[in-house]
Amino acid sequence: MNKLEFLKGILGNKNTPWILGLLAFLISIFGLFKSYNSSELVYVDVNKLIQGYSRTKTAKAEFDKKATAMKGNIDSLVGKWQNELKNYEKERASLSANELKLKQELLANKQQQINGYQEAIQKQIQEEDKKITQTVINDINDYVKEYGKNHGYKIIFGASGGGNIMYAAEVADLTEDILKGLNAEYDKKK
């Protein structure tokens, strides 16, 4: 029997559509199984990346230094104002009504200025913290994007402990690999 006769026999058989359908079904199940068992669906623990990233530590140390200096300025101004208030309390009995009123207004104005300065410094500290955090997050996002492209991943999920990934096999966790590469890249830039 030659190949042509064999094909005519199969195609002429009344079970052929059923066999082809079963074959297509098995192939699709195999493909689905293969895609589920592949490591195309992976994730990283975003909190671990942020905490373990060397730039986070460096930026936080610089930020803490700046914030401490700014808070020190505020503490210095408050200390001076408190000394003036103590002196006012001591001198109060010996001052005239006009001097009392003038001194009270002066102390109240200084207190308002200190409060305004303190609010401005707090706002500046918060903005600086946001800026540093965003820089770190941008670095991480850029690196993860490149890592995904270079390793052929279609999706890399970010888990942040808020329940967006309830379970994943350990093989799907790329956090440590990405953290090593991210820190190595940062160390090269230093």
Side-chain angles (χ1 to χ4, degrees), residues 12 17 24 29 34 46 49 52 86-87 89 104 112 116-117 122 130 136 154 161 169 171-172 188:
I29 292 294
K34 177 96 170 112
V46 177
L49 287 179
K86 286 178 187 175
N87 289 337
E89 292 295 329
Q104 287 171 345
Q112 285 179 340
Y117 180 69
Q122 287 295 348
K130 265 188 199 175
V136 167
K154 293 179 183 175
V171 71
K188 287 179 190 175

Side-chain angles (χ1 to χ4, degrees), residues 15-184:
N15 291 329
T16 301
W18 186 82
I19 292 171
L20 290 176
L22 181 61
L23 185 61
F25 176 74
L26 290 174
I27 290 172
S28 65
I29 292 294
F30 176 75
L32 189 61
F33 178 76
K34 177 96 170 112
S35 72
Y36 277 125
N37 284 333
S38 71
S39 59
E40 290 179 5
L41 297 178
V42 293
Y43 76 99
V44 293
D45 185 324
V46 177
N47 293 335
K48 284 182 183 177
L49 287 179
I50 291 172
Q51 290 171 358
Y53 183 29
S54 298
R55 185 169 188 178
T56 304
K57 295 168 189 164
T58 304
K60 183 171 175 17
E62 290 172 8
F63 170 76
D64 287 346
K65 191 175 179 179
K66 273 185 182 178
T68 300
M70 290 180 195
K71 288 176 183 176
N73 289 340
I74 292 170
D75 291 344
S76 175
L77 291 173
V78 168
K80 287 179 184 176
W81 180 82
Q82 286 175 339
N83 285 337
E84 287 182 37
L85 186 60
K86 286 178 187 175
N87 289 337
Y88 163 75
E89 292 295 329
K90 289 178 187 175
E91 299 172 348
R92 192 173 164 177
S94 65
L95 296 174
S96 69
N98 279 346
E99 289 174 326
L100 265 175
K101 185 179 177 187
L102 188 62
K103 195 76 163 170
Q104 287 171 345
E105 286 176 7
L106 182 64
L107 286 171
N109 284 341
K110 280 191 177 185
Q111 184 178 19
Q112 285 179 340
Q113 287 175 346
I114 290 170
N115 289 343
Y117 180 69
Q118 193 171 17
E119 288 174 15
I121 293 297
Q122 287 295 348
K123 187 176 180 181
Q124 186 178 352
I125 288 172
Q126 288 173 348
E127 288 173 4
E128 187 74 21
D129 186 35
K130 265 188 199 175
K131 185 175 142 187
I132 289 170
T133 301
Q134 192 59 52
T135 300
V136 167
I137 289 171
N138 289 346
D139 279 3
I140 291 170
N141 287 342
D142 291 345
Y143 184 82
V144 169
K145 185 177 181 180
E146 282 303 309
Y147 184 94
K149 284 180 185 177
N150 293 338
H151 290 83
Y153 293 111
K154 293 179 183 175
I155 295 175
I156 299 177
F157 293 100
S160 60
N164 50 1
I165 294 180
M166 299 300 288
Y167 169 77
E170 283 186 40
V171 71
D173 185 357
L174 299 177
T175 306
E176 291 303 318
D177 289 340
I178 288 181
L179 190 56
K180 286 176 189 172
L182 185 63
N183 284 329

